[in-house]
Amino acid sequence: MTHRIVTLPGDGIGPEIVAPAVELLKRLGDFEFDERVFGGASIDASGTALTDEVLDACRGADAVLLGAVGGPKWDTTDPHAPRPEQGLLGLRKGLGLYANLRPVKPIPALYDASPLRRERIEGTDLLVVRELTGGIYFGEKQRTAERASDLCEYTVEEIERIARVGFGAARSRVSSVDKANVLETSRLWRETVMRVHSEEFPHVELEHVLVDNAAMQLVSSPRHFDVILTENLFGDILSDEAAMLTGSIGMLPSASLGERGGPGLFEPVHGSAPDIAGQGIANPLATFLSAALLLRHGLALETEAAAVESAVQRALDGGLRTADLGGEAGTAQATRAVLDNLE
Ligand code: IPM
Ligand code: MG
């Protein structure tokens, strides 16, 4: 069976890192690729970051691989102007992708590339499970000349389903992160997580951590964490912080999943890096690792997924370092190194 993959290269370095990922995937199976315009590029072409046609193409695909969106060209504080990020949020909402998985496992060859000391990060292997279609991102927004507000809302059902993903992914412990000492949504979050835990996952250890404390523990004792289960905005912030444990945000992949049967969205956690776009120096490894997640979670091709991950690992063991990791390899050289290590 041929799998259909929609690719959305997007903006900035997006096209430069998606193209090599497609090259990599072509080595691993008989996939059909359908490239579509998305983000700022789509605003330029049709005035909106995500057209209905592209959303429909994504709905009909087996998986979606995304590069990155955004750039100074479309940066604006005008609430009526289209923004590239709306494409991403529209895609997450439109495909019902409520579960965002961001694995953070520093590769030993890169221990010394992290701004944190090696002893701190050694052995870290955690997964951020971020709720992706609720909370302050999607609540009602208001703006007058004198005031602005963003509503943060969560329903029990939204919390239950992401909690199940978190507990299901845990090997030992779930650290549920909230701000229950201040926020009502966090109190509902905490109660709901506790109920799902006692009713369905009593064998998994559960702890509750306030978000400010979680931010601190992520750098003071990252090894402590297994699954970090959290809401949309906290997950956004904590996952960038966690990315630095791996040496560079250029290393972190992500998977966004919805109900069974629908296509997942796979993308690097980093942005479009407009400052280095077009120079051929972007690190493609987070996109390769996202392609691995696509193979594993999107297409149930575990062997191929593991092959990509080991090829990346071997390339790094062999000395591959892109500029963000303090080295000199460009995108093409990094791609070659990984392809050469594919077994
Ligand atoms: C991410 C990004 C997005 C988010 C932006 C681009 C809207 O930062 O995927 O983490 O905030 O979710
Ligand atoms: Mg982010």
Side-chain angles (χ1 to χ4, degrees), residues 107 110 246 248-253 283 285-286 289 312 316 324-325:
I107 295 177
L110 294 184
T246 63
S248 165
I249 194 162
M251 293 302 300
L252 215 65
N283 179 354
L285 297 182
L289 294 171
V312 168
L316 290 165
D324 55 309
L325 298 171

Side-chain angles (χ1 to χ4, degrees), residues 218-234:
L218 254 181
V219 286
S220 66
S221 42
R223 254 190 310 271
H224 167 78
F225 293 106
D226 173 16
V227 164
I228 295 179
L229 169 66
T230 193
E231 63 95 63
N232 205 344
L233 181 62
F234 297 161

Side-chain angles (χ1 to χ4, degrees), residues 148-199:
S149 68
D150 298 276
L151 184 64
C152 183
E153 264 185 306
Y154 266 109
T155 65
V156 167
E157 196 198 332
E158 285 173 321
I159 303 168
E160 282 173 350
R161 63 183 184 180
I162 192 68
R164 290 191 183 105
V165 173
F167 286 118
R171 287 153 302 177
S172 57
R173 176 193 305 120
V174 167
S175 307
S176 174
V177 173
D178 62 36
K179 189 72 185 173
N181 52 349
V182 178
L183 301 178
E184 208 48 55
T185 39
S186 281
R187 293 191 264 267
L188 182 68
W189 179 277
R190 195 175 278 214
E191 281 174 15
T192 307
V193 168
M194 283 167 73
R195 187 170 41 73
V196 171
H197 174 247
S198 64
E199 288 175 4

Side-chain angles (χ1 to χ4, degrees), residues 92 102 130 137 235-237 239-240 269:
R92 290 173 178 170
R102 298 184 163 182
R130 167 187 175 194
Y137 273 61
D236 178 48
I237 299 168
S239 59
D240 266 34
V269 169

Side-chain angles (χ1 to χ4, degrees), residues 76-152:
T76 167
T77 53
D78 174 358
H80 305 294
R83 293 192 60 100
E85 293 80 4
Q86 288 163 344
L88 190 53
L89 300 181
L91 200 57
R92 290 173 178 170
K93 199 69 169 180
L95 297 177
L97 305 173
Y98 65 87
N100 184 225
L101 311 182
R102 298 184 163 182
V104 179
K105 186 179 179 182
I107 295 177
L110 294 184
Y111 280 162
D112 295 316
S114 171
L116 290 169
R117 279 202 307 275
R118 165 188 276 269
E119 320 78 88
R120 276 276 143 88
I121 55 176
E122 247 165 358
T124 297
D125 183 2
L126 63 87
L127 176 69
V128 178
V129 176
R130 167 187 175 194
E131 199 293 324
L132 204 59
T133 50
I136 199 167
Y137 273 61
F138 292 95
E140 191 192 4
K141 295 181 189 307
Q142 283 187 0
R143 171 84 171 264
T144 66
E146 299 304 324
R147 67 192 309 134
S149 68
D150 298 276
L151 184 64
C152 183

